Amino acid sequence: MIDTDVDLSTANTLALPARAERLARPADVDELARVLTGRGADPLFVLGGGSNLVLTGDLPGLTVMPVFDEVSYRQVDEGLAQVRVGAGVVWDRLVADAVAAGWQGLENLSLIPGNVGAAPFQNIGAYGVELADVVSTVEAVSVDDGSNISFDADQCEFAYRDSLFKSRCRGEFIITHLTLNLRRGSDCRLDSFRLGYGGLAERLEGGGPVTPARVREAVIALRQSKLPDPAKLPNAGSFFKNPVVSLTHYQRLLERYPDLVSFPVTGGRKLAAGWLIERSGWKGRRLGPVGMHDQQALVLVNHGGATAVDVLALATAVREDVRQCFGVELEQEPVLMPGAIGVP
């Protein structure tokens, strides 16, 4: 079934106004193939949880929102399992269920909004872990002919907040399922957990053995202490990527700003975009109905009634000030859909 003229203001976590000309919610791969076959030459858009998205206007043609909701575990051996999960499953539901079942690997990715299908597109990550660290295969349907294709992890071309599906082959595939590798949490050594980011280790000190459940609790507490709930204050999470600069540029900045927050990466340093935005004077500051959050300067929030023009005007102002202050170019993380618009 395909619905017409569908309101999308509640289908994106920034709560921006937009409508879909036609909206399909396929429940399985066969139904998705039929939808694609029948669309003709109409423009095609894919929506998941709408959590990493700036809707710049109405979506013409056909919008597809996969609702595949199956989750199945296969135990490979005593300490390893694989979980195959549909693209329509809420990501944090998957994490919660895996942790509750005693499996390790997803706990650092707790409370990330959105659906499973968007996870490989963006190569989601938090607290030192990325999807690329746990993914085994990504299944997708070709937009061109409706055929089913399976990609192993290397074929996905994962990079920092990037993948084959977002960059080189953008628009060519609709992700349907992921298979992830998980370890038995009770068998994991302390050094198998990623605890070196965002104060995780400090949160876990003195509380007994480190387990996936305790790490998840700590991650949730940290995220809730800094990040607004999109259901209460609309936002798209981190609005900019952490920029990577050369070691030379990093040393120059460090001489001027000894408290500069950064992380080592191959060939340079990754700077904390939130720190750059805060030091540029934008933390808690508004521009019309939008602003940068007062607890986490990296998060752009909609205080009510905002449009994409408001969002992109603020993003442009923030980028310009960071460029002027630090000589660093910020790259927007959320995807524009259907595309760029003029900003006054």
Side-chain angles (χ1 to χ4, degrees):
M1 178 178 175
I2 297 180
D3 298 316
T4 59
D5 191 28
V6 179
D7 180 17
L8 299 177
S9 60
T10 60
N12 72 102
T13 60
L14 264 170
L16 299 178
R19 305 190 75 82
E21 182 179 355
R22 296 188 298 138
L23 178 67
R25 298 180 176 89
D28 57 43
V29 171
D30 290 340
E31 186 178 352
L32 173 58
R34 289 195 296 271
V35 166
L36 293 175
T37 301
R39 78 180 177 95
D42 285 351
L44 176 68
F45 302 94
V46 181
L47 273 181
S51 61
N52 198 58
L53 181 69
V54 177
L55 285 177
T56 61
D58 294 343
L59 302 184
L62 177 66
T63 299
V64 175
M65 187 181 294
V67 293
F68 311 151
D69 63 356
E70 64 268 38
V71 179
S72 61
Y73 287 84
R74 181 178 72 89
Q75 190 151 339
V76 178
D77 58 36
E78 188 175 345
L80 175 66
Q82 290 189 323
V83 55
R84 182 175 181 265
V85 56
V89 172
V90 173
W91 174 261
D92 196 54
R93 175 197 139 194
L94 169 66
V95 178
D97 289 349
V99 169
W103 294 105
Q104 182 197 18
L106 303 181
E107 57 279 352
N108 288 48
L109 304 177
S110 292
L111 218 62
I112 293 178
N115 292 354
V116 164
F121 180 86
Q122 192 76 6
N123 187 23
I124 60 171
Y127 298 98
V129 174
E130 293 181 331
L131 181 81
D133 297 324
V134 295
V135 72
S136 173
T137 57
V138 176
E139 297 169 54
V141 166
S142 168
V143 168
D144 182 51
D145 60 12
S147 61
N148 299 323
I149 303 174
S150 182
F151 300 85
D152 64 28
D154 290 339
Q155 291 173 314
C156 293
E157 299 177 12
F158 288 125
Y160 174 57
R161 301 299 178 269
D162 200 7
S163 71
L164 168 82
F165 312 103
K166 183 178 180 181
S167 297
R168 187 167 64 84
C169 293
R170 186 164 178 170
E172 296 182 20
F173 303 100
I174 296 178
I175 294 165
T176 62
H177 298 84
L178 306 186
T179 300
L180 307 175
N181 295 321
L182 305 178
R183 299 174 299 277
R184 174 59 65 184
S186 59
D187 297 334
C188 292
R189 304 183 313 274
L190 178 61
D191 60 7
S192 70
F193 291 92
R194 303 280 185 89
L195 306 178
Y197 287 76
L200 265 184
E202 291 83 352
R203 285 263 178 178
L204 293 163
E205 284 180 354
V210 176
T211 64
R214 288 195 62 220
V215 174
R216 173 171 165 78
E217 290 173 1
V219 168
I220 289 174
L222 284 167
R223 290 183 69 92
Q224 290 179 334
S225 71
K226 298 178 180 180
L227 303 177
D229 181 350
K232 298 177 181 178
L233 184 59
N235 70 89
S238 298
F239 203 84
F240 299 101
K241 298 180 182 180
N242 291 324
V244 175
V245 299
S246 68
L247 290 174
T248 301
H249 193 166
Y250 165 71
Q251 289 297 337
R252 286 199 298 264
L253 289 175
L254 192 61
E255 290 175 4
R256 293 173 55 196
Y257 306 99
D259 59 337
L260 177 67
V261 179
S262 70
F263 310 96
V265 295
T266 302
R269 297 285 293 193
K270 182 184 291 185
L271 307 183
W275 186 93
L276 299 173
I277 295 167
E278 181 173 351
R279 290 298 293 265
S280 299
W282 279 101
K283 184 176 182 180
R285 183 176 164 190
R286 297 191 185 190
L287 188 63
V290 293
M292 305 311 292
H293 192 241
D294 57 8
Q295 295 297 314
Q296 171 50 273
L298 188 56
V299 177
L300 187 153
V301 297
N302 175 5
H303 290 286
T307 67
V309 170
D310 300 316
V311 169
L312 298 181
L314 174 58
T316 298
V318 170
R319 274 199 303 265
E320 180 59 29
D321 282 357
V322 168
R323 185 189 304 115
Q324 291 292 329
C325 289
F326 304 104
V328 173
E329 190 70 37
L330 292 182
E331 182 180 352
Q332 181 174 310
E333 189 169 319
V335 175
L336 299 183
M337 189 185 293
I341 58 175
V343 177

